[in-house]
């Protein structure tokens, strides 16, 4: 991984092709301010083209993120609120060409939970507290939450969470589909899963993600066309030949991302 990245609100380390991004504003429970979001934006641009990084994990020590920084929002005008929006960065993360996993401890609220929703997979500690308390501030989730949450868990369950502003944790979050699994040490689990994904064929992962992401946006005919084009395109990759030859030769495939 390149070493020229300098950040003040996030910390990035690379372990065996997995980049781990730690949100790092512990005094405010990792509340997301514009500087942090700008740094995330820049980091994802760099990680996208870093050949040494195959999977990204986002986490926060003790807390994932207790939402957007409220102290930055109180006096915003509508125009300023529009520029404060995290949506371009969150869309970038949702469409990132490599898998992204959220490891959630403590609070993941509001914009923090919206960030987790942009990840491909969410692993939470049983005691992690997740929800969308914006309604108690006189607003509603504005960084993709009203769009991604219903697509993930269904409209009425999303409405209940967003209308009440209540938090869920543990088995309740799992049952809702808000998280994919629970683990006492979610970061360790996320890194383990990321390690597995780092050994898979990167282009196949990237295109599978694109196809699955488009499933929520397009009709079935269009979706299956997108799938057919992406899938057949894989037969131009070195990794497709390698994967199938390795199977026939009864050895483990080594994928190079070409
Ligand atoms: C700014 C925050 C913050 C936030 C916590 N802090 N959340 N500061 N923005 N979102 C700060 C507190 O002010 C406090 O600072 C310190 O972190 C510790 O928090 P406490 O409240 O003392 O901790 P606790 O009593 O354990 O309560 C934790 C909590 C509570 C339940 C998470 O902090 C809380 O309700 N936070 C706000 C959650 C929220 O409404 N999130 C949604 C934001 S709107 P001091 O200096 O007093 O120690 C949003 C919009 C997204 O996310 C769209 C964006 C475009």
């Amino acid at each position: 991984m390149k070493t020229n990245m300098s950040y003040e609100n996030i910390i990035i380390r690379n372990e065996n092709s997995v980049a781990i991004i730690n949100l790092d504003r512990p005094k405010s429970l990792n509340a997301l301010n514009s500087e942090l979001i700008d740094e995330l934006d820049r980091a994802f641009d760099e990680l996208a083209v870093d050949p040494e990084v195959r999977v990204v994990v986002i986490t926060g020590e003790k807390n994932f993120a207790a939402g957007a920084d409220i102290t930055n929002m109180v006096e915003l005008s509508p125009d300023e609120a529009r520029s404060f929006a995290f949506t371009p960065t969150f869309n970038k993360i949702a469409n990132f060409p490599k898998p992204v996993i959220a490891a959630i401890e403590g609070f993941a609220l509001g914009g923090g939970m919206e960030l987790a929703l942009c990840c491909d997979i969410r692993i939470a500690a049983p005691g992690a507290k997740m929800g969308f308390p914006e309604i108690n501030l006189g607003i509603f989730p504005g960084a993709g939450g009203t769009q991604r949450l219903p697509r993930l868990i269904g409209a009425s369950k999303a409405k209940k969470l967003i209308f009440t502003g209540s938090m869920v944790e543990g088995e309740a979050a799992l049952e809702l589909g808000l998280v994919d699994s629970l683990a006492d040490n979610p970061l360790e689990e996320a890194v383990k899963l990321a390690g597995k994904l780092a050994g898979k064929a990167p282009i196949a992962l990237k295109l599978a993600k694109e196809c699955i992401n488009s499933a929520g946006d397009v009709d079935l005919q269009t979706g299956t066309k997108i799938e057919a084009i992406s899938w057949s395109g894989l037969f131009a990759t070195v990794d497709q030949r390698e994967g199938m030859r390795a199977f026939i030769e009864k050895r483990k495939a080594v994928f190079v991302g070409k």
Side-chain angles (χ1 to χ4, degrees):
M1 189 165 77
K2 294 183 191 82
T3 50
N4 60 347
M5 298 190 218
S6 64
Y7 301 109
E8 288 176 9
N9 299 282
I10 58 177
I11 298 169
I12 307 184
R13 66 180 198 280
N14 191 8
E15 281 176 16
N16 308 319
S17 305
V18 177
I20 301 163
I21 303 181
N22 252 280
L23 307 175
D24 189 37
R25 297 188 72 224
K27 285 189 185 137
S28 56
L29 314 184
N30 291 336
L32 307 168
N33 60 9
S34 303
E35 290 77 19
L36 187 152
I37 295 297
D38 287 348
E39 289 182 11
L40 265 186
D41 199 89
R42 197 151 49 86
F44 272 92
D45 280 346
E46 299 202 27
L47 295 172
V49 294
D50 188 334
E52 287 173 40
V53 171
R54 289 200 175 181
V55 185
V56 176
V57 172
I58 307 182
T59 193
E61 207 179 319
K62 294 206 179 102
N63 291 286
F64 190 76
D69 193 318
I70 299 167
T71 61
N72 288 178
M73 292 190 291
V74 197
E75 303 295 344
L76 295 182
S77 68
D79 279 348
E80 288 164 340
R82 196 72 184 258
S83 329
F84 184 78
F86 302 162
T87 301
T89 301
F90 282 13
N91 285 348
K92 180 179 284 184
I93 296 170
N95 296 316
F96 188 67
K98 306 172 187 186
V100 183
I101 303 170
I104 305 171
E105 281 203 64
F107 291 108
L109 301 175
M113 195 61 213
E114 289 175 299
L115 172 59
L117 292 181
C118 296
C119 300
D120 300 308
I121 296 163
R122 284 155 292 284
I123 302 174
K129 292 182 170 53
M130 292 162 279
F132 299 88
E134 286 93 335
I135 205 74
N136 302 321
L137 301 169
I139 56 170
F140 61 78
T146 65
Q147 302 306 303
R148 289 199 174 91
L149 188 63
R151 281 168 167 81
L152 186 69
I153 68 172
S156 53
K157 290 190 173 94
K159 284 174 184 165
K160 191 173 170 199
L161 270 187
I162 290 172
F163 290 178
T164 61
S166 52
M167 297 183 207
V168 286
E169 55 187 278
E171 290 297 330
L174 191 60
E175 204 174 307
L176 264 179
L178 198 55
V179 298
D180 300 289
S181 59
L182 300 175
D184 290 333
N185 187 335
L187 178 58
E188 197 178 284
E189 277 303 304
V191 170
K192 207 192 290 176
L193 174 60
K196 269 190 203 163
L197 301 186
K200 308 289 181 195
I203 301 172
L205 282 176
K206 173 183 156 204
L207 294 180
K209 176 168 172 172
E210 268 179 33
C211 288
I212 296 166
N213 281 1
S214 70
D217 302 329
V218 301
D219 65 86
L220 188 59
Q221 289 304 316
T222 310
T224 50
K225 263 187 206 150
I226 293 171
E227 181 191 68
I229 293 164
S230 295
W231 185 81
S232 52
L234 289 173
F235 288 76
T237 65
V238 172
D239 284 345
Q240 173 270 326
R241 295 285 194 267
E242 165 64 7
M244 294 191 182
R245 281 183 188 138
F247 172 80
I248 291 164
E249 293 163 14
K250 300 193 186 306
R251 61 176 175 81
K252 194 175 181 319
V254 179
F255 294 116
V256 293
K258 288 182 186 153

